[in-house]
């Protein structure tokens, strides 16, 4: 089943927004994978996004490493560190979020 278009009004779309996986033609994660992150993180969007970023960071560190050629330089570990810092901030945001609500009768 193909993924639907990116919709930032849904929890799944909000995870995509936070991890910058918004290109409908080339998603990093499928809807099913992001749904799994949401499930594993009790549907807290920031925590699901943080876990997705951690997976991206791990893949970046494993694949890219540090590469220098005449016209190109990449630094997978530095990119991974930046992604993990973003994930850490999302976890702080989730911890500080006010999820309380008033019951209206």
């Amino acid at each position: 089943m193909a993924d639907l278009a990116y919709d930032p009004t849904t929890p799944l779309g909000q995870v995509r927004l936070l991890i910058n996986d918004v290109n409908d033609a080339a998603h990093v994660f499928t809807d099913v994978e992001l749904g799994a992150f949401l499930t594993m993180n009790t549907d807290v969007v920031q925590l699901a996004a943080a876990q997705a970023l951690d997976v991206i960071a791990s893949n970046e560190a494993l694949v890219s490493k540090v590469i220098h050629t005449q016209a190109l330089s990449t630094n997978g570990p530095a990119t991974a560190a930046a992604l993990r810092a973003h994930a850490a901030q999302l976890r702080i945001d989730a911890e500080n979020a006010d999820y309380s609500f008033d019951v209206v009768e």
Side-chain angles (χ1 to χ4, degrees), residues 20-95:
N20 195 29
D21 188 15
V22 298
N23 181 350
D24 286 334
H27 286 309
V28 174
F29 294 107
T30 67
D31 287 352
V32 172
E33 290 167 332
L34 290 183
F37 290 139
L38 282 163
T39 299
M40 289 185 279
N41 290 282
T42 61
D43 292 325
V44 177
V45 168
Q46 294 92 336
L47 295 178
Q51 187 167 23
L53 286 170
D54 281 339
V55 169
I56 293 169
S58 294
N59 289 340
E60 182 67 26
L62 288 171
V63 173
S64 295
K65 301 184 179 43
V66 176
I67 301 169
H68 296 284
T69 65
Q70 291 177 345
L72 174 69
S73 178
T74 65
N75 189 333
T79 301
L83 290 166
R84 286 193 178 101
H86 185 186
Q89 184 59 53
L90 287 170
R91 288 185 176 98
I92 291 168
D93 293 347
E95 186 176 305

Side-chain angles (χ1 to χ4, degrees), residues 4-17 31 34 38 45:
L4 300 175
Y6 160 67
D7 179 359
T9 65
T10 66
L12 191 110
Q14 291 164 0
V15 172
R16 285 199 187 284
L17 178 64
D31 287 352
L34 290 183
L38 282 163
V45 168

